[in-house]
Amino acid sequence: NAQIYRKGADLSPFLKALHESSQDIKSLGYYFSNSGAGSTIFYPHYEFDSASSYESIGCEWMRADNPINPSLGPIGTDEEIARCHPEGTVVPTREYNPLERAWCRDQALDPSRVQISNPYLDAWGGGWLITTGRAVY
């Protein structure tokens, strides 16, 4: 994670400029697979509420072939999938893994377009969110 945060520091000015461009933007983030463990960089930074939790969708979806180049095989390895919590598990936010969220799955399985999620409760108890993004392989 230290390497991701070090590299992510270069992205902070970009996230800050986007965040300040509209009052409607609550937060911005980059989400990394991090070998199945998941990592995030948020702007503005905020502390996770350790009393909050979310329900994992699991990572079985990572067994699908890479949508950009199916000859590469599945999106994730067995080892990466094993690092995720099983579907239906209630996960404390201190163990947050974006790979266990439906919006991440939807983006990863169809990287040809920007995905806009349906409204959902965030993992930190802060309220309703809509996520917009696109997977990059």
Side-chain angles (χ1 to χ4, degrees):
N1 280 347
Q3 182 179 14
I4 289 173
Y5 283 108
R6 200 169 41 254
K7 290 180 177 182
D10 296 337
L11 303 172
S12 291
F14 178 68
L15 290 175
K16 182 178 188 286
L18 281 174
H19 182 262
E20 292 174 347
S21 71
S22 173
Q23 291 179 317
D24 294 329
I25 297 175
K26 179 179 175 182
S27 67
L28 294 162
Y30 288 100
Y31 303 87
F32 303 91
S33 68
N34 193 26
S35 299
S39 287
T40 59
I41 297 173
F42 290 112
Y43 187 88
H45 171 76
Y46 52 90
E47 299 281 327
F48 285 148
D49 175 3
S50 62
S52 296
S53 61
Y54 67 95
E55 185 175 328
S56 172
I57 65 159
C59 289
E60 291 300 313
W61 62 266
M62 292 173 64
R63 296 191 190 285
D65 283 342
N66 181 307
I68 301 295
N69 186 350
S71 67
L72 294 175
I75 294 170
T77 65
D78 288 339
E79 181 181 339
E80 290 170 333
I81 294 166
R83 287 191 177 125
C84 294
H85 295 91
E87 181 179 1
T89 302
V90 175
V91 182
T93 55
R94 70 180 176 279
E95 297 176 25
Y96 183 74
N97 184 344
L99 299 172
E100 299 172 352
R101 304 295 279 172
W103 58 263
C104 183
R105 175 202 59 209
D106 296 345
Q107 290 176 23
L109 293 175
D110 188 3
S112 65
R113 63 187 186 96
V114 172
Q115 301 280 332
I116 301 172
S117 73
N118 290 323
Y120 64 95
L121 286 172
D122 76 4
W124 304 278
W128 290 92
L129 296 177
I130 295 175
T131 299
T132 302
R134 182 175 176 191
V136 177
Y137 282 85

